Amino acid sequence: MKKLPLVAAMVLALAGCQTIPVVSSNPNAEFSRTGKPGMVSFGLQSTDFEYAAKKAVQEFLESPYAQKPGGGRWVVQMGEVINDTTFRIDTASMTSRMKRNMTKTRQFIFTGATGTERTRFVQDSRQLSKSKMFKKSTVARNGTVIAPDLEMLGTIRQRTLVDGSGKQQQLEYEFDFRVVERDTGLEIFQSFIPIEKLGSNQNFVW
């Protein structure tokens, strides 16, 4: 009979050693592509990029600058997206989602001629006219490349907070995206999307 209090004490001790699950302010944090509850981690996940991209584009579409004056589509170049976090992040996980959502509206088209996502294709195509191998009517002509109207750029930031007991920590992420207009140089739009994650500070490995 004396063993019962000891067993109960061990159970309580083990329960106290269990780590606190990570909780995210992202309303879609626990969604998974498999249909089953997904894992929530301190790091940025595909659900975080999906949520932030969708929200940023939605805010832009609701702004008065989403429609191009005079009609037609905005030509957008991708600017630099700075990773100001302690994690290695492929920022294309964010920008590719934003581009996909924006092009679906048929109000925007992205250029591959300028910006951080420019390719050598446009420049190299101009050199084909110098070769006798290529039919002249099929090579790229000068003066045909469309200049961008807008640049989209941003920063992903992170702050880490630990409570007074040292048992819990909170990671605060900030998705800060801006749109700059070419002719005026004015920043016509900014989207600021925070995501916070709270969990145990015990045995946490960066």
Side-chain angles (χ1 to χ4, degrees):
M1 297 296 293
K2 293 182 179 179
K3 292 183 179 180
L4 290 177
L6 179 59
V7 172
M10 290 178 65
V11 170
L12 291 173
L14 289 173
C17 292
Q18 291 180 351
T19 57
I20 303 171
V22 178
V23 179
S24 174
S25 65
N26 176 0
N28 303 325
E30 296 184 1
F31 290 174
S32 122
R33 295 176 181 173
T34 64
K36 298 180 180 179
M39 180 187 71
V40 180
S41 74
F42 274 115
L44 289 173
Q45 303 167 254
S46 59
T47 54
D48 297 319
F49 291 121
E50 193 71 36
Y51 168 73
K54 185 176 181 180
K55 189 169 178 60
V57 172
Q58 182 180 357
E59 290 179 359
F60 189 20
L61 294 176
E62 292 173 354
S63 77
Y65 299 101
Q67 297 288 341
K68 185 177 182 180
R73 295 183 295 183
W74 288 111
V75 179
V76 187
Q77 84 167 21
M78 198 65 239
E80 184 179 12
V81 177
I82 300 171
N83 173 23
D84 190 15
T85 76
T86 56
F87 297 96
R88 294 184 63 182
I89 296 175
D90 180 6
T91 56
S93 294
M94 178 74 186
T95 57
S96 294
R97 288 172 165 83
M98 295 181 71
K99 289 167 60 179
R100 178 196 63 198
N101 292 340
M102 292 171 70
T103 53
K104 281 183 178 180
T105 67
R106 298 185 179 182
Q107 297 173 222
F108 308 91
I109 188 168
F110 285 79
T111 178
T114 61
T116 58
E117 296 188 355
R118 64 183 180 276
T119 71
R120 293 188 58 86
F121 172 67
V122 178
Q123 181 179 352
D124 290 349
S125 296
R126 265 51 188 175
Q127 304 302 315
L128 300 182
S129 61
K130 300 177 182 179
S131 174
K132 295 181 180 180
M133 292 178 56
F134 294 92
K135 189 175 181 179
K136 299 303 179 183
S137 61
T138 65
V139 299
R141 304 183 307 277
N142 290 327
T144 58
V145 177
I146 306 299
D149 304 302
L150 307 174
E151 180 180 47
M152 187 170 70
L153 64 161
T155 304
I156 303 175
R157 305 185 188 91
Q158 173 210 327
R159 284 188 298 272
T160 303
L161 306 174
V162 180
D163 70 356
S165 67
K167 294 181 179 179
Q168 285 188 307
Q169 67 175 330
Q170 178 171 291
L171 268 67
E172 298 178 345
Y173 293 101
E174 296 173 350
F175 294 83
D176 187 358
F177 283 90
R178 300 177 291 138
V179 176
V180 177
E181 201 270 335
R182 177 198 63 205
D183 293 337
T184 63
L186 296 177
E187 185 178 294
I188 62 173
F189 174 77
Q190 182 181 29
S191 178
F192 185 86
I193 302 166
I195 293 180
E196 298 176 353
K197 299 195 177 190
L198 177 66
S200 173
N201 191 40
Q202 304 301 315
N203 301 322
F204 183 73
V205 180
W206 288 98

